[in-house]
């Protein structure tokens, strides 16, 4: 499949509260390309510009200078079809409770598709599909009140509300923060399914390096308003100097492997998965024995 | 020893509409003793956040009682004593910062309980020192990183000199560095004798505690030290939980190399076990 860029960001700048004493430069010349069907992780510290960047993807923020092209639409142009853009790009924010406003779960998820003017039957089907995708039982949960949900359940409802719009590009800000291990794994698998099987382009911001390693095809590292590093998770997590310089964490498995490496054990530090990391340990323990025999 | 917090047959339900309600806590009883470091784990909706809000009277039981230092949380005249004894740190760093300068934020609680100017200054100094944020005291909080903001929030609680601090998923919004900063502070405070209760979804974080309480469907289903709890991988998986990555790795190595222990829960233990087995193996053939 030829690679077709669906998001192109070039030399993007954004300054909040321009020409005031509170002026704050959030983006300073960042660039990024996302191809159709890719799964991209954006990592970086608070204040590195991640949130400002992703708000450009559906036109919540328009470029100060630089280029933002989403699926062929140049967002620096004055006149754009913002509705069409928002339908194409679904954005799930970090605090799910901010994005839920209806009294009942089913109504909340149905709000978007209903506003698209879809027939009721289709709205219902989409709500059911979206709830299934995030692991909420339709019959059991649709008439529950949203305020009595736990934090993790609210997160699922917010995501279902966006999925029900069937976007072409899904943008997630910390999708699994606050989810228990199983809900987290299920959600990651669902995102992977949507990405790989339904060709949904996924961009997610995360501080959880396990999920970055598990999901992302490529990773962009942001610092001080610009992209400082990009590559596959292997590229990123094996570059020890840059990990240190930009204070990027690694998956727990890699952390253990780095420490063993420092102690002189010859382990491959790019083994993220638990089983791969365990195999690295088995290998050095067995090798050690072999060497001594020889 | 007298417990610092005691729950006796606590039940609690939320009304979901006019006619029905959801029962969240069902006859929960346990005690927390001074100096303990306790992790509460359970899947989303298991009731652990509701439970943690009972620990300092933010919520009071529908039936049953919660006692803090022997005071019933339903007794409104004791509310201030209870809140002073048990502080809380929440999930979102941004939601618990109230002032525009770090030290003023830390002072906020103290101003409300009428602490003298002199003592206030001293308490703020100490609290910021413990969380290693002294150099940021004159800074506005909104440009701090998530971990730094969370440490400011902890300092605010610490300045109230509570006997116990409850962390309700306080590291879940933080990156690896921010999380490690907060975990270090928690360990340090526990070392100073403070009782620590942490509600978390990260099994590696729960492994740091001395005791783990597992909540499922509003009830306590397991209560023990991390070594014991994490032996029950199947049960934990059924409860939508997990064991730390370190334990999973140890198990896999153990299956191939039986002398390698499968009862490890912390990174440090795993590293030491690799050293031990590696040395033993080279020793075997010398």
């Amino acid at each position: 499949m030829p690679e077709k860029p669906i998001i192109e960001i070039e030399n993007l700048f954004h300054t909040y509260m321009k020409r005031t004493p509170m002026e704050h430069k959030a983006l300073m010349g960042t660039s990024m390309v996302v191809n159709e069907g890719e799964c991209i992780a954006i990592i970086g510290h608070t204040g590195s510009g991640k949130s400002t960047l992703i708000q450009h993807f559906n036109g919540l923020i328009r470029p100060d200078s630089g280029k933002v092209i989403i699926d062929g639409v140049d967002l620096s142009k004055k006149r754009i079809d913002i509705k069409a853009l928002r339908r194409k790009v679904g954005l799930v924010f970090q605090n799910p409770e901010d994005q839920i406003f209806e009294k009942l779960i089913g109504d909340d998820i149905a709000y978007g598709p209903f506003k698209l003017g879809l027939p009721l039957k289709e709205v219902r089907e989409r709500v059911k599909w979206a709830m299934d995708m995030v692991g909420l039982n339709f019959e059991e949960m649709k008439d529950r009140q949203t305020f009595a949900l736990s934090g993790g359940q609210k997160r699922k409802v917010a995501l279902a509300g966006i999925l029900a719009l069937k976007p072409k590009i899904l943008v997630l800000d910390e999708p699994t923060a606050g989810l228990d291990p199983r809900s987290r794994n299920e959600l990651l698998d669902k995102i992977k399914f949507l990405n790989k099987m339904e060709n949904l382009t996924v961009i997610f911001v995360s501080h959880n390096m396990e999920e970055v390693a598990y999901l992302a095809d490529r990773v962009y590292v942001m610092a001080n308003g610009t992209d400082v590093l990009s590559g596959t998770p292997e590229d990123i997590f094996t570059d020890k100097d840059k990990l240190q310089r930009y204070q990027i964490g690694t998956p727990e498995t890699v952390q253990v492997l780095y420490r063993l490496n420092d102690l002189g054990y010859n382990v491959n530090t790019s083994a993220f998965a638990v089983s791969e990391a365990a195999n690295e340990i088995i290998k050095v323990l067995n090798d050690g024995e072999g060497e001594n025999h020889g | 020893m007298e417990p610092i917090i005691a729950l006796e047959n606590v039940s609690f339900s939320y009304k979901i509409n006019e006619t029905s309600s959801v029962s969240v806590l069902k006859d929960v009883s346990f005690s927390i003793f001074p100096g303990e470091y306790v992790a509460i784990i359970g899947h989303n909706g298991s009731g652990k956040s509701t439970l943690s809000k009972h620990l300092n009277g933010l919520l009071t039981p529908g039936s049953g009682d919660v006692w803090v230092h022997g005071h019933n949380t339903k007794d409104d005249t004791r509310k201030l004593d209870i809140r002073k004894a048990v502080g809380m740190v929440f999930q979102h760093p941004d939601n618990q910062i109230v002032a525009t300068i770090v030290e003023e934020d830390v002072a906020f609680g103290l101003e409300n309980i009428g602490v003298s100017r002199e003592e206030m200054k001293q308490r703020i100094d100490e609290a910021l020192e413990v969380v290693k944020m002294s150099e940021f005291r004159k800074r506005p909080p909104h440009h701090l990183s998530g971990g730094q903001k969370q440490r400011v929030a902890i300092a605010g609680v610490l300045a109230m000199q509570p006997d116990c601090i409850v962390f309700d998923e306080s590291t879940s919004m933080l990156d690896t560095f921010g999380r490690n900063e907060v975990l270090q502070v928690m360990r340090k405070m526990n070392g100073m004798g403070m009782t620590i209760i942490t509600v978390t979804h990260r099994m590696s974080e729960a492994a740091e505690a001395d005791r783990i309480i597992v909540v499922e469907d509003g009830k306590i289903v397991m209560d023990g030290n991390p070594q014991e709890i994490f032996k029950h991988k199947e049960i934990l998986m059924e409860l939508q939980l997990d064991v730390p990555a370190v334990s999973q790795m140890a198990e896999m190595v153990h299956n191939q190399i039986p002398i390698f222990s499968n009862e490890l829960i912390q990174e440090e233990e795993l590293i030491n076990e690799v050293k031990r087995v590696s040395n033993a193996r080279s020793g075997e053939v010398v």
Side-chain angles (χ1 to χ4, degrees):
Chain A
M1 196 174 66
E3 285 181 352
K4 184 183 157 221
I6 193 163
I7 293 181
E8 293 163 87
I9 309 278
E10 218 182 283
N11 206 20
L12 180 65
F13 283 79
H14 186 80
T15 307
Y16 287 110
M17 319 213 29
K18 249 189 196 162
R19 289 179 289 277
T20 74
M22 300 282 285
E23 186 174 285
H24 175 63
K25 292 191 172 77
L27 290 178
M28 293 185 277
T30 195
S31 300
M32 157 179 299
V33 177
V34 178
N35 294 311
E36 200 170 332
E38 266 194 309
C39 184
I40 300 290
I42 303 176
I43 62 179
H45 282 270
T46 312
S48 61
K50 303 179 303 259
S51 298
T52 308
L53 175 64
I54 64 171
Q55 288 181 67
H56 281 82
F57 294 162
N58 76 344
L60 279 176
I61 301 179
R62 302 288 282 274
D64 271 2
S65 77
K67 229 194 252 171
V68 177
I69 298 175
I70 309 288
D71 201 18
V73 178
D74 185 348
L75 299 196
S76 56
K77 294 258 167 63
K78 270 224 164 73
R79 286 179 174 276
I80 55 164
D81 185 350
I82 199 85
K83 267 192 181 163
L85 178 69
R86 301 259 160 91
R87 222 168 286 161
K88 207 176 281 174
V89 185
L91 193 62
V92 184
F93 289 104
Q94 201 175 65
N95 301 352
E97 50 273 34
D98 297 348
Q99 143 168 29
I100 292 171
F101 48 89
E102 286 279 357
K103 237 172 117 182
L104 303 180
I105 293 174
D107 292 350
D108 194 81
I109 299 168
Y111 183 83
F114 187 68
K115 285 282 161 195
L116 290 181
L118 296 171
L120 268 178
K121 192 163 163 276
E122 160 119 33
V123 171
R124 196 180 157 88
E125 262 159 28
R126 283 200 183 189
V127 171
K128 199 160 177 251
W129 172 82
M131 286 179 74
D132 181 52
M133 272 294 143
V134 299
L136 291 171
N137 187 303
F138 178 71
E139 290 303 332
E140 190 187 318
M141 301 297 281
K142 71 177 166 44
D143 297 323
R144 284 269 195 97
Q145 299 228 16
T146 47
F147 85 91
L149 292 173
S150 72
Q153 287 167 325
K154 279 185 186 160
R155 186 162 286 270
K156 293 180 184 178
V157 172
L159 176 59
I162 296 297
L163 286 180
L165 290 164
K166 300 236 173 167
K168 200 170 167 185
I169 302 169
L170 180 64
V171 185
L172 304 154
D173 196 354
E174 300 285 1
T176 67
L179 292 186
D180 63 54
R182 191 200 284 177
S183 303
R184 169 187 297 256
N185 292 337
E186 284 175 356
L187 186 62
L188 293 178
D189 285 340
K190 290 277 160 63
I191 294 172
K192 201 164 202 165
F193 171 83
L194 289 165
N195 174 241
K196 299 292 175 233
M197 299 304 172
E198 312 248 317
N199 205 32
L200 181 70
T201 304
V202 177
I203 299 151
F204 68 105
V205 170
S206 181
H207 59 246
N208 185 308
M209 297 305 147
E210 276 81 16
E211 72 194 35
V212 170
Y214 178 72
L215 272 187
D217 298 321
R218 287 191 301 125
V219 182
Y220 280 92
V221 180
M222 302 275 300
N224 304 317
T226 185
D227 55 306
V228 289
L229 199 57
S230 72
T232 63
E234 285 81 3
D235 296 339
I236 304 287
F237 294 134
T238 49
D239 193 340
K240 207 177 174 187
D241 296 337
K242 296 232 169 87
L243 289 176
Q244 271 297 329
R245 177 158 9 129
Y246 299 115
Q247 295 216 330
I248 306 164
T250 58
E252 282 171 30
T253 48
V254 176
Q255 212 164 302
V256 169
L257 295 174
Y258 268 128
R259 284 187 63 184
L260 289 173
N261 221 342
D262 286 345
L263 291 168
Y265 294 98
N266 184 22
V267 290
N268 172 9
T269 52
S270 70
F272 315 133
V274 168
S275 58
E276 290 172 19
N279 281 334
E280 286 299 313
I281 295 177
I282 294 167
K283 200 188 74 195
V284 294
L285 291 177
N286 284 335
D287 280 0
E289 192 184 35
E291 271 162 34
N292 283 307
H293 276 302
Chain B
M1 195 164 30
E2 284 291 307
I4 183 163
I5 302 172
L7 279 74
E8 285 174 1
N9 311 101
V10 170
S11 297
F12 182 85
S13 43
Y14 284 109
K15 249 180 120 170
I16 55 166
N17 55 36
E18 303 304 314
T19 51
S20 57
S21 59
V22 178
S23 156
V24 184
L25 297 178
K26 299 167 184 171
D27 199 22
V28 173
S29 301
F30 66 88
S31 296
I32 304 276
F33 294 92
E36 274 195 301
Y37 185 165
V38 183
I40 300 178
I41 60 177
H43 65 73
N44 295 128
S46 60
K48 56 187 177 352
S49 266
T50 305
L51 177 62
S52 69
K53 290 189 180 84
H54 276 78
L55 301 176
N56 75 343
L58 278 179
L59 292 174
T60 52
S63 69
D65 295 291
V66 178
W67 306 89
V68 175
H69 280 317
H71 303 312
N72 195 318
T73 56
K74 287 176 187 162
D75 181 354
D76 277 343
T77 64
R78 291 292 183 182
K79 196 150 263 176
L80 199 59
D81 295 326
I82 289 167
R83 295 274 162 83
K84 265 197 243 172
V86 181
M88 279 201 113
V89 180
F90 295 97
Q91 184 175 11
H92 294 292
D94 293 329
N95 293 356
Q96 27 192 343
I97 302 240
V98 290
T100 51
I101 299 290
V102 165
E103 63 176 3
E104 285 172 14
D105 193 79
V106 179
F108 182 77
L110 298 176
E111 280 162 1
N112 289 333
I113 58 168
V115 172
S116 75
R117 208 78 217 160
E118 265 311 289
E119 192 182 342
M120 203 188 282
K121 193 182 164 300
Q122 196 193 337
R123 285 204 201 182
I124 294 168
D125 288 346
E126 283 171 8
L128 286 173
E129 189 59 42
V130 172
V131 300
K132 296 211 180 107
M133 287 295 288
S134 302
E135 57 175 310
F136 295 91
R137 65 182 303 153
K138 299 287 183 195
R139 297 263 205 100
H142 62 275
H143 283 319
L144 301 176
S145 75
Q148 290 168 335
K149 280 183 198 166
Q150 206 59 315
R151 283 187 284 155
V152 171
I154 295 171
V157 174
L158 203 55
M160 303 291 282
Q161 299 182 340
D163 305 314
C164 173
I165 300 186
V166 180
F167 293 84
D168 192 358
E169 295 189 42
S170 307
T171 62
S172 69
M173 307 303 287
L174 306 180
D175 59 27
T176 316
F177 276 82
R179 188 169 64 239
N180 288 339
E181 288 166 1
V182 170
L183 288 176
Q184 265 174 28
V185 170
M186 286 162 69
R187 231 170 293 149
K188 186 170 170 185
M189 292 191 303
N190 184 244
M192 290 158 52
M194 188 169 300
T195 310
I196 303 288
I197 301 171
T198 178
V199 177
T200 181
H201 281 309
R202 264 195 108 89
M203 298 302 128
S204 57
E205 247 176 77
E208 300 257 331
D210 310 321
R211 174 181 170 196
I212 297 180
I213 294 176
V214 185
V215 184
E216 163 66 11
D217 191 24
K219 294 188 281 264
I220 308 291
V221 289
M222 286 198 238
D223 185 346
N225 68 46
Q227 283 80 7
E228 286 167 34
I229 300 287
F230 288 130
K231 273 182 203 166
H232 303 285
K233 184 173 181 187
E234 286 77 24
I235 303 176
L236 291 170
M237 298 294 278
E238 246 168 68
L239 299 174
Q240 312 195 12
L241 300 170
D242 209 341
V243 297
V246 163
S247 308
Q248 296 174 32
M249 287 164 74
E251 181 74 39
M252 287 175 187
V253 178
H254 170 80
N255 289 340
Q256 297 295 318
I257 303 173
I259 58 159
F260 196 97
S261 169
N262 60 348
E263 292 183 6
L264 310 174
I265 55 172
Q266 288 178 13
E267 194 180 300
E268 203 61 44
E269 295 173 339
L270 184 72
I271 303 282
N272 288 333
E273 186 66 2
V274 172
K275 283 193 214 161
R276 186 189 72 84
V277 173
S278 169
N279 289 338
R281 291 205 139 191
S282 34
E284 272 171 26
V285 288
V286 167

